Amino acid sequence: MINLSQYQQLFDIDNTTERCKKVNDTMDQFWKSELDQLAGELLGQDYRIATYGQTLVTTYHDSLNPKYAEQKKDTNIGKRYFAQIVRKIGNKEIILLTLEFNGVEQQMYVYTELSFYQVNALIKSGQLSTELSELDSDVRVFARTSSFTKNEIERSLLEQELSAMVKPRIRPWIYFGLAIPMEGNYEVADIIKMLNYVWEQTTALRNYALEDRQQNAKAAHIMELIASAGKPYSVSLFGHSYQIYYGALETDKSNVREQGFTLKREGQTIVQGTFYYGEYNERKGLNKPVLAVDVGGSNHIYANVSVLLGDDRKEWWIQKSFKMMNHDNEALKHRALDLLRQHGIPVRNENEYLTGTYINSEQRFEEDLTEIKGRFACAALLFAHVNGRGKFKFLETEDQSTVESEGNSIDDDNSNEIIEYISNFDFTVINETIQNSSLTFDKDLILDLHLNLTALDEKHFVILSGISGTGKTQLAKLYANAVYGLSYGADNPYLSLIPVRPDWSDGTALFGYYSSFEHQYIMTEFLKVLMHAHEEREKPHFIVLDEMNLARVEYYLSDYLSGVESHKEIPLHNRNDLEEIPGKISIPPNVYLIGTINVDETTHSISDKVLDRAFVMTLSDVDLKTFWSRVEDGVRLELQNEFTFLKKLNSMLTPYHLHFGYRTMNEMIQKMSRHLTLEVEYQLARKVMLDRVISEKVLPKLRGDDRITELLVELKENFTEHLGEESTSLGHIIRMEKELARYGATQFWR
């Protein structure tokens, strides 16, 4: 007999340590055994039982550790328990059936789950209404709202509510099953009957999810093959020789993995692009595996991978269309396909090109993978050349008119719709987008920035302070792009990065001025954004003032601060012959201003007038552990010892506020990694290269008075041990010690 009321009492225990232990001891082994027996009867084999037990055990031990006890004290962990029957297909597991006791909602759930993308696919195919009609009336539908909560949706409204989630990029899991209040007694056999009942009721939905997962696994294998082709690709484009180099495939953090590539000519970087290997079309909420390729942050290829799946040999013909406003898209398409022909890529029907042939029975491509991947990269580069996105152009002998793009996105090139930028300030969506990037930022930091920018209805002004290289500008760009569902590298027409100049001394630096000499109004990027923000009031516009304290902030920003506080218009001019420039302009509430500052001898302090009107965030903590986990596996293997020492060096510098950020670490790692690619005869000893990057990237910022005496002693000991007595870095430290003893202060520079 199971007493659900007693289960609820366990979930209601205030102390996290006690709660996790009792929930685990009471439920885990019992329900794991019961579901194992049930799964054996239902499936026989090819399954495993997943439970919440490991999380409970980990939280229990962490709560006993003084290092983590405080942060674990007030969590909801341990206020629920679940056991699931799961099956692995490809490299991912699919949950077939779940029994959940939820103490937060005080409900016992039995359900089968489908992803938002799977249910949306059923909507698009018209199958959802049929599937729902075959369920008994007591089978309910829920959408996940958080780890511990669900929201019930009326069946008749399910299609409508899910369709409304597509544009704001809300992607909850959908559950089909039963919900029972956590009270009263139940025989174990009765709960098992409920599990059997839901299993039978959701057979069609479960089979659809299994088939979909199998298809996705096959598509993922195809993309894995293409991603694995890492050899440089040499190609002649417009009569010039180029080389295409591929970067590392990013760790799988979401349904889209990224792999950068670089086009070079004689060692010179021409342009960079990215391969995207996606399990879903996240923007449209479609359950369609895709391979996309962009150049310079703008998408040019969007290929449906599932068209290759079948029982026979499949040629991968990809349709190409252009969808740019105010341009002859047919002419652009013909020009692009003609260029593909000229460069050896087969074309048919004047709208399709061939990338390769896949043999399903052998799960391989007929052609060499390097050639297939090269075709994708070259096609994207030629498309970028034709439509002018990112203003990228190859050198060619014949004249080509420059075409400007009205927008860019990872979107379906077979569609004729104009690309629409949709903003969404839902923190869950923003955080997931940022966490799925290759950059390293803590969730609490992202949350703080989000609240600082959105807490006030009409004023959005944040200052990001900290040592150089901690990613202040990257964070600002990453957040702005995440609001629009864009990756970090994508172009965002609603984001302007404005470097501050030291000679800015008044408001004209931002708002411009009328030049009597030139007889025209001198426009600025800042003013352009304000005018555009007035035109598109429903769109948030982000402005990043980079290194804003290179000039005196209170001088050039005073008009802006006054306009935000007073809600009054800022005068620009008093002329009647300037139709395009208004005489006055206000600061609309859809403008979000982010300033980045470094504090050193080259910058100015920020006055109280400015500080009182902004949220000031400090980015000085550097999470090198997470940074290192996102570095390519091969690099981590080769440079683990060097990284360990650099991490130790950073910890020595941190108490003195002399530590370095992600940029410095990344550049040192890149140089040492590039050094190891040279022929052996040209390589230096590894500790010599480590010594050089330290002396070139870390020590130049070393300075101070007698307060750094102990630091210099510690550095000298460690450099002697790890770099050697002849090292350049040790020489600098010995010299600085002598200068400190003589003058009472020292610095790297002589």
Side-chain angles (χ1 to χ4, degrees):
M1 183 72 70
I2 300 299
N3 188 318
L4 295 184
S5 299
Q6 289 182 357
Y7 276 9
Q8 184 62 50
Q9 289 173 9
L10 295 179
F11 295 136
D12 289 338
I13 295 173
D14 289 334
N15 184 278
T16 299
T17 306
E18 181 183 358
R19 181 174 67 244
C20 287
K21 187 176 191 310
K22 287 191 174 182
V23 170
N24 183 69
D25 291 347
T26 304
M27 302 184 189
D28 194 51
Q29 288 303 317
F30 179 80
W31 286 113
K32 189 173 184 180
S33 174
E34 290 292 331
L35 260 74
D36 188 36
Q37 181 177 341
L38 175 63
E41 296 170 0
L42 296 173
L43 298 169
Q45 58 183 1
D46 193 18
Y47 71 88
R48 83 175 183 91
I49 304 301
T51 75
Y52 199 52
Q54 186 58 56
T55 300
L56 294 171
V57 171
T58 301
T59 304
Y60 168 72
H61 289 293
D62 284 348
S63 65
L64 296 175
N65 186 336
K67 182 177 180 181
Y68 305 109
E70 187 62 30
Q71 67 187 66
K72 297 292 184 183
K73 186 172 64 175
D74 295 322
T75 72
N76 278 336
I77 299 175
K79 293 185 178 181
R80 71 166 178 162
Y81 174 82
F82 64 77
Q84 301 169 322
I85 302 174
V86 303
R87 172 177 287 175
K88 188 171 185 179
I89 299 177
N91 63 349
K92 293 190 176 182
E93 289 186 326
I94 181 170
I95 300 170
L96 304 179
L97 186 65
T98 298
L99 171 64
E100 177 183 342
F101 302 99
N102 192 311
V104 174
E105 295 184 304
Q106 300 184 13
Q107 295 282 321
M108 180 183 77
Y109 291 103
V110 180
Y111 56 78
T112 290
E113 63 186 66
L114 271 68
S115 72
F116 173 88
Y117 301 94
Q118 291 169 332
V119 180
N120 196 36
L122 290 173
I123 292 174
K124 297 296 183 182
S125 65
Q127 292 178 256
L128 183 63
S129 57
T130 301
E131 300 292 351
L132 292 176
S133 67
E134 294 178 356
L135 299 176
D136 288 350
S137 59
D138 58 346
V139 177
R140 299 155 68 181
V141 182
F142 304 89
R144 172 178 169 170
T145 54
S146 73
S147 298
F148 292 84
T149 57
K150 302 170 184 63
N151 178 43
E152 184 170 5
I153 302 176
E154 289 289 336
R155 288 193 200 176
S156 60
L157 300 176
L158 182 59
E159 182 172 336
Q160 176 184 335
E161 293 204 16
L162 263 62
S163 297
M165 296 177 184
V166 173
K167 280 193 174 183
R169 303 188 307 281
I170 300 170
R171 305 290 183 259
W173 285 86
I174 311 300
Y175 307 105
F176 302 85
L178 306 176
I180 309 295
M182 287 282 291
E183 56 188 31
N185 295 315
Y186 284 84
E187 295 287 349
V188 174
D190 291 335
I191 296 177
I192 298 300
K193 284 181 182 179
M194 294 181 199
L195 287 161
N196 271 301
Y197 174 72
V198 171
W199 179 271
E200 293 171 1
Q201 282 286 305
T202 58
T203 296
L205 291 169
R206 184 175 60 258
N207 288 341
Y208 165 75
L210 283 167
E211 182 180 351
D212 175 71
R213 181 65 251 159
Q214 290 165 350
Q215 292 293 97
N216 278 346
K218 293 176 181 178
H221 173 71
I222 292 172
M223 290 188 281
E224 197 70 36
L225 289 175
I226 295 173
S228 68
K231 294 181 181 179
Y233 183 73
S234 297
V235 63
S236 177
L237 298 170
F238 298 102
H240 300 290
S241 295
Y242 294 92
Q243 297 78 41
I244 297 174
Y245 296 90
Y246 303 103
L249 181 64
E250 280 194 5
T251 304
D252 189 4
K253 302 182 292 297
S254 67
N255 66 75
V256 179
R257 304 181 72 183
E258 300 181 13
Q259 184 177 36
F261 71 92
T262 304
L263 180 72
K264 292 191 175 185
R265 184 181 178 197
E266 298 179 353
Q268 172 63 48
T269 296
I270 307 301
V271 71
Q272 293 180 315
T274 306
F275 279 78
Y276 297 91
Y277 308 97
E279 185 175 349
Y280 309 115
N281 180 339
E282 199 278 338
R283 178 172 285 273
K284 294 187 176 182
L286 296 178
N287 197 29
K288 182 171 66 174
V290 293
L291 188 156
V293 188
D294 79 16
V295 175
S298 299
N299 180 248
H300 298 283
I301 293 177
Y302 190 92
N304 183 358
V305 182
S306 59
V307 299
L308 291 179
L309 302 180
D311 300 324
D312 54 2
R313 181 176 175 273
K314 296 277 190 177
E315 291 185 337
W316 202 354
W317 290 94
I318 301 174
Q319 289 189 358
K320 178 61 185 176
S321 64
F322 288 86
K323 46 187 179 184
M324 300 168 63
M325 292 186 293
N326 305 319
H327 293 292
D328 188 341
N329 289 317
E330 278 298 304
L332 292 176
K333 182 182 69 175
H334 289 308
R335 169 62 178 156
L337 294 177
D338 186 50
L339 287 177
L340 293 186
R341 287 193 195 94
Q342 294 176 28
H343 290 90
I345 299 178
V347 173
R348 73 177 186 187
N349 300 332
E350 297 304 320
N351 70 340
E352 294 179 304
Y353 58 98
L354 180 67
T355 53
T357 305
Y358 188 68
I359 305 173
N360 278 275
S361 59
E362 301 177 23
Q363 294 189 349
R364 68 173 181 86
F365 279 96
E366 192 171 83
E367 302 87 352
D368 182 76
L369 287 172
T370 303
E371 180 63 28
I372 292 174
K373 194 168 186 175
R375 281 187 183 180
F376 271 108
C378 289
L381 289 163
L382 292 172
F383 295 154
H385 169 81
V386 169
N387 71 10
R389 287 182 177 178
K391 299 183 175 62
F392 166 70
K393 284 286 182 181
F394 281 108
L395 293 173
E396 56 176 320
T397 53
E398 63 188 60
D399 292 336
Q400 286 292 315
S401 59
T402 301
V403 184
E404 295 297 327
S405 167
E406 297 295 332
N408 57 78
S409 170
I410 300 178
D411 219 328
D412 191 344
D413 275 341
N414 299 329
S415 166
N416 292 320
E417 68 180 359
I418 301 301
I419 297 170
E420 182 181 5
Y421 290 87
I422 301 172
S423 60
N424 185 356
F425 276 108
D426 184 295
F427 179 72
T428 300
V429 175
I430 292 171
N431 181 56
E432 287 180 358
T433 303
I434 293 177
Q435 295 298 344
N436 290 332
S437 75
S438 59
L439 302 175
T440 307
F441 291 105
D442 182 75
K443 182 179 72 173
D444 290 343
L445 177 66
I446 301 166
L447 175 62
D448 199 29
L449 175 61
H450 174 72
L451 292 174
N452 288 342
L453 281 171
T454 60
L456 306 180
D457 292 334
E458 296 184 336
K459 183 170 68 174
H460 317 288
F461 180 24
V462 174
I463 296 175
L464 301 179
S465 174
I467 64 170
S468 178
T470 50
K472 298 182 292 294
T473 306
Q474 286 180 328
L475 176 59
K477 179 180 178 182
L478 195 60
Y479 181 88
N481 278 13
V483 168
Y484 282 96
L486 302 173
S487 65
Y488 170 76
D491 287 339
N492 184 349
Y494 297 96
L495 166 66
S496 294
L497 180 63
I498 303 176
V500 171
R501 293 167 51 99
D503 60 352
W504 286 9
S505 58
D506 57 37
T508 60
L510 296 181
F511 294 93
Y513 61 95
Y514 181 79
S515 171
S516 301
F517 179 76
E518 299 182 41
H519 301 292
Q520 65 177 356
Y521 197 90
I522 305 302
M523 179 68 76
T524 65
E525 180 68 17
F526 190 90
L527 181 57
K528 287 180 182 177
V529 174
L530 294 186
M531 293 171 62
H532 196 253
H534 276 284
E535 294 172 3
E536 295 192 61
R537 293 296 289 262
E538 78 283 1
K539 303 285 188 183
H541 290 62
F542 294 90
I543 302 174
V544 179
L545 294 179
D546 203 23
E547 298 193 59
M548 68 182 303
N549 61 332
L550 282 178
R552 291 196 175 278
V553 181
E554 61 273 19
Y555 288 178
Y556 68 82
L557 202 63
S558 59
D559 289 344
Y560 166 84
L561 296 174
S562 176
V564 170
E565 291 292 330
S566 66
H567 305 297
K568 294 182 179 179
E569 293 183 314
I570 300 166
L572 300 178
H573 64 82
N574 56 4
R575 302 186 62 86
N576 297 321
D577 56 347
L578 296 178
E579 296 182 359
E580 296 183 358
I581 310 297
K584 297 178 180 180
I585 194 167
S586 61
I587 309 298
N590 58 328
V591 171
Y592 295 75
L593 183 63
I594 304 174
T596 71
I597 65 172
N598 294 321
V599 180
D600 55 39
E601 60 275 4
T602 68
T603 61
H604 298 279
S605 60
I606 310 293
S607 71
D608 289 346
K609 173 184 177 181
V610 177
L611 296 176
D612 287 345
R613 289 163 173 78
F615 286 103
V616 181
M617 299 173 58
T618 301
L619 280 66
S620 290
D621 294 333
V622 181
D623 184 2
L624 294 180
K625 180 179 179 181
T626 303
F627 163 85
W628 189 240
S629 70
R630 297 184 177 182
V631 172
E632 181 186 353
D633 290 345
V635 174
R636 292 208 309 270
L637 185 63
E638 290 175 335
L639 298 174
Q640 181 61 57
N641 291 336
E642 285 83 350
F643 170 76
T644 299
F645 183 72
L646 290 173
K647 183 180 177 184
K648 179 181 179 181
L649 174 59
N650 204 47
S651 66
M652 287 187 275
L653 296 170
T654 298
Y656 302 90
H657 304 290
L658 295 170
H659 54 298
F660 47 90
Y662 300 115
R663 179 172 57 234
T664 297
M665 176 63 85
N666 184 54
E667 291 176 0
M668 290 190 289
I669 293 296
Q670 285 195 36
K671 179 175 179 178
M672 290 188 290
S673 179
R674 184 64 60 86
H675 166 252
L676 293 177
T677 65
L678 299 175
E679 297 293 336
V680 176
E681 61 183 296
Y682 299 118
Q683 290 186 22
L684 302 173
R686 293 173 70 108
K687 71 176 183 180
V688 172
M689 183 50 59
L690 178 61
D691 174 37
R692 290 201 175 177
V693 297
I694 291 173
S695 63
E696 294 167 351
K697 297 293 294 182
V698 179
L699 297 187
K701 294 193 292 183
L702 191 59
R703 60 188 178 275
D705 52 25
D706 56 7
R707 287 172 290 186
I708 67 168
T709 301
E710 293 183 6
L711 171 63
L712 295 180
V713 171
E714 190 176 9
L715 291 175
K716 184 168 69 172
E717 292 174 352
N718 279 272
F719 288 168
T720 302
E721 178 182 354
H722 293 279
L723 304 180
E725 295 183 354
E726 302 300 321
S727 65
T728 302
S729 298
L730 178 61
H732 285 304
I733 297 302
I734 293 174
R735 170 184 59 80
M736 293 178 70
E737 266 194 326
K738 293 177 180 178
E739 291 178 353
L740 183 60
R742 176 176 295 182
Y743 304 113
T746 186
Q747 61 177 5
F748 173 84
W749 301 103
R750 296 183 179 179

